[in-house]
Amino acid sequence: MSPIKQLSLLYEAVNNSDTFSNDDVINGQVVVEVTKEVTIQSLYVKFKGESQVCWSERRNDRTYSYTAHDRYFKFKQYFIQDPSKKGSEDPGVILSSGEIYSNVVKPGNHIYPFRFQLPQGNFPPSFAGVYGSVKYILEVTVDRSWKMDRTEKKEIIFVPRFNILHLMVYLDVPYASDPEIKFPVTILSSGNIYSPGQNQPPFQPHGNPNAPGWNQPPPPQPEFRPGPSGTDFGPSPGFYPGAYPSPVCTNSGDPAPPPYAALYPNPNPAVPDLNFTPSAPPFNPQFAPMVYPNLPAPQQNPVPNFPEKHE
């Protein structure tokens, strides 16, 4: 069982969104807990920003894979350093000064503070996609003789502060050179629009409290009121006016409305003495109905026979 019980990496956030930008300072601690005395060859923390991409293309029934890697910066701070490996750092690594501790670590908890400042530069923001990623990582490593290294990592979300910002759109055309289009993009504060020459206020993560109408109560809304007694609940009259007025229900105790005939009389009234009885004579059973005799069918003359022909 390893004598190193715990290895953790902690850092202090600089804002509520837990993001970092150019010139921000990362203050943190490395916590090492050991159960018995142990000898450590080297203990260090590094902070790096890098990007990598990987994609495949198929041509002529063959698949070609491509990868690329780019490093923006790499800082390193030692807490325990092996004298034999001093000066053997990779090119481009910036060593941060700090206190060097003994390589013999006693049982208990040990805290090693560190401090990194993000450099200036147009570094891309943190990103993770299918074909690539941009990451800014804090990593602590414990190196022990004849033992596998033990590491812990934490990713830092980096949001750059852009001044000139340009977006590049690439159009992939087979068997042709890739055309490139560049156009400027202006980033505005949320909820505000400014002309390019107008000074813009600093970004407010939760809105601009000085903007007009900020933190003001909403305008009063018409409330729903029940109709007269005995009717269904609904909005007050005139709340949603329509093209045709809806009928209004009244209480059972109210007088009945006048009949329709009283309000809209017939302009063509009937004559009092006008008789609408049909003028056909009544049926008298003593007169028998007229019977028509059956006429015989006409007789047809028989077809005469022709005399036989004798030779």
Side-chain angles (χ1 to χ4, degrees):
M1 182 176 179
S2 175
I4 302 178
K5 182 179 180 180
Q6 178 186 3
L7 176 65
S8 58
L9 182 62
L10 307 174
Y11 68 88
E12 299 176 2
V14 296
N15 51 39
N16 295 331
S17 59
D18 196 14
T19 60
F20 292 86
S21 188
N22 307 86
D23 285 339
D24 285 343
V25 177
I26 302 178
N27 293 304
Q29 297 175 341
V30 173
V31 180
V32 180
E33 182 181 358
V34 296
T35 57
K36 62 180 182 180
E37 184 176 294
V38 62
T39 301
I40 297 178
Q41 298 301 119
S42 62
L43 172 64
Y44 58 89
V45 61
K46 58 184 178 181
F47 178 41
K48 59 182 179 179
E50 59 186 5
S51 62
Q52 57 182 1
V53 292
C54 178
W55 75 96
S56 299
E57 295 181 2
R58 188 169 182 82
R59 297 193 300 268
N60 299 328
D61 296 334
R62 294 188 60 183
T63 301
Y64 299 86
S65 298
Y66 303 91
T67 59
H69 175 268
D70 191 12
R71 177 185 295 173
Y72 308 123
F73 59 84
K74 184 177 181 180
F75 299 103
K76 197 172 187 179
Q77 178 179 340
Y78 279 95
F79 306 116
I80 301 174
Q81 188 174 13
D82 186 358
S84 63
K85 296 182 179 180
K86 190 173 183 180
S88 59
E89 297 295 338
D90 296 334
V93 176
I94 301 176
L95 295 178
S96 299
S97 60
E99 184 177 355
I100 301 297
Y101 300 85
S102 172
N103 64 340
V104 178
V105 181
K106 300 294 182 180
N109 289 333
H110 301 269
I111 299 177
Y112 304 92
F114 64 87
R115 175 187 175 92
F116 294 118
Q117 183 174 10
L118 280 88
Q120 285 283 351
N122 292 329
F123 305 124
S126 298
F127 169 79
V130 178
Y131 301 103
S133 62
V134 178
K135 293 185 178 181
Y136 300 84
I137 299 176
L138 283 170
E139 180 179 345
V140 59
T141 302
V142 177
D143 182 12
R144 298 168 57 206
S145 179
W146 300 100
K147 303 291 183 182
M148 294 187 63
D149 293 349
R150 183 169 176 178
T151 61
E152 289 292 330
K153 297 180 180 181
K154 277 190 179 295
E155 183 175 354
I156 299 297
I157 305 301
F158 179 73
V159 180
R161 296 190 182 101
F162 290 111
N163 293 327
I164 38 192
L165 175 63
H166 293 276
L167 295 181
M168 292 185 294
V169 178
Y170 294 92
L171 180 62
D172 188 6
V173 180
Y175 307 105
S177 299
D178 294 337
E180 179 179 338
I181 301 175
K182 294 183 179 181
F183 53 92
V185 174
T186 304
I187 301 222
L188 304 177
S189 302
S190 60
N192 296 280
I193 299 178
Y194 299 90
S195 60
Q198 184 178 359
N199 295 329
Q200 301 181 12
F203 174 74
Q204 299 290 341
H206 301 289
N208 184 7
N210 298 323
W214 175 264
N215 201 19
Q216 296 294 329
Q221 301 292 334
E223 59 181 4
F224 288 95
R225 296 189 299 272
S229 176
T231 62
D232 295 334
F233 176 79
S236 59
F239 185 72
Y240 294 108
Y244 304 97
S246 58
V248 179
C249 299
T250 58
N251 294 330
S252 58
D254 296 340
Y260 181 84
L263 296 177
Y264 303 97
N266 188 359
N268 300 314
V271 180
D273 297 335
L274 184 63
N275 186 7
F276 290 98
T277 305
S279 58
F283 175 74
N284 190 351
Q286 65 179 354
F287 296 99
M290 182 177 292
V291 178
Y292 296 91
N294 294 328
L295 299 177
Q299 296 181 356
Q300 297 181 356
N301 296 325
V303 178
N305 296 326
F306 294 93
E308 297 181 357
K309 182 178 182 182
H310 299 277
E311 295 179 359

